Amino acid sequence: MTTAPRLEKITPGNFDTAIGLKVRPDQEHLVAPVVKSLAEAYVYPGVAWPRLIVDGERTVGFLMAFFDINWDGGESGTDLRSGLWRLNIAAGEQGRGYGRFAVEAVAAEIRRRGGTRLTVTWHPGETGPEGFYLGLGFKLTGETSGGQTVGVLEWEVGLGLGLGG
């Protein structure tokens, strides 16, 4: 990172930049393109929280969080979760701390909303991000969601986020 990264809302002025953001070619099968995420954000406006990750004048990534979804899909509402839905770090910007910043930003927003845990899913496999998430302190839940591994990062109210590293 060259300056302090920040999150920006998606606007008409940065939309083309957002949809032009690309991960490395060997990662394209692991994460949906930003344009799909923005379409999902449009369909789920009360749940999705899309943001660009910007460092100085450079757009270095994209994240989309989700808030208070009914994880089991039923009507009970007994397993509401919030977390990181998508994380796309631009191909030339990886390994510079932007992924960690994104997780910290989502965790801070969840905490601001009264939550104490962050859920994330990822595609399993050698080229996937499992090591990244486990290195930040996420714990495997033993669940899968849509064929993806589920991890959770928990913290206590009033304490730090507990990110590893």
Side-chain angles (χ1 to χ4, degrees):
M1 290 182 280
T2 57
T3 60
R6 66 187 185 279
L7 298 182
E8 289 187 0
K9 290 182 179 181
I10 310 299
T11 66
N14 63 22
F15 174 78
D16 286 334
T17 298
I19 64 170
L21 190 132
K22 303 287 185 225
V23 297
R24 292 190 333 238
D26 63 311
Q27 298 171 328
E28 290 174 350
H29 69 286
L30 299 171
V31 65
V34 174
V35 70
K36 179 177 182 187
S37 296
L38 293 177
E40 289 169 328
Y42 175 81
V43 173
Y44 301 104
V47 172
W49 192 70
R51 297 291 187 269
L52 286 177
I53 305 166
V54 178
D55 188 353
E57 298 301 313
R58 294 183 351 268
T59 299
V60 298
F62 169 85
L63 69 80
M64 187 160 72
F66 61 89
F67 300 108
D68 296 328
I69 66 163
N70 193 0
W71 192 259
D72 62 15
E75 297 294 322
S76 68
T78 58
D79 189 9
L80 295 179
R81 298 191 195 184
S82 299
L84 184 59
W85 191 346
R86 296 272 161 61
L87 178 58
N88 305 55
I89 302 298
E93 302 293 350
Q94 295 180 15
R96 298 181 180 176
Y98 299 121
R100 181 186 185 92
F101 166 78
V103 171
E104 289 172 347
V106 171
E109 182 64 20
I110 290 169
R111 184 152 83 184
R112 188 187 71 75
R113 295 172 183 234
T116 59
R117 72 178 174 179
L118 188 163
T119 300
V120 67
T121 64
W122 62 83
H123 286 283
E126 273 186 39
T127 61
E130 182 168 297
F132 167 74
Y133 289 118
L134 296 179
L136 291 178
F138 282 85
K139 304 293 183 212
L140 299 172
T141 66
E143 302 167 286
T144 60
S145 176
Q148 296 186 40
T149 301
V150 179
V152 66
L153 180 68
E154 297 184 88
W155 58 88
E156 294 181 38
V157 175
L159 296 180
L161 300 176
L163 291 175

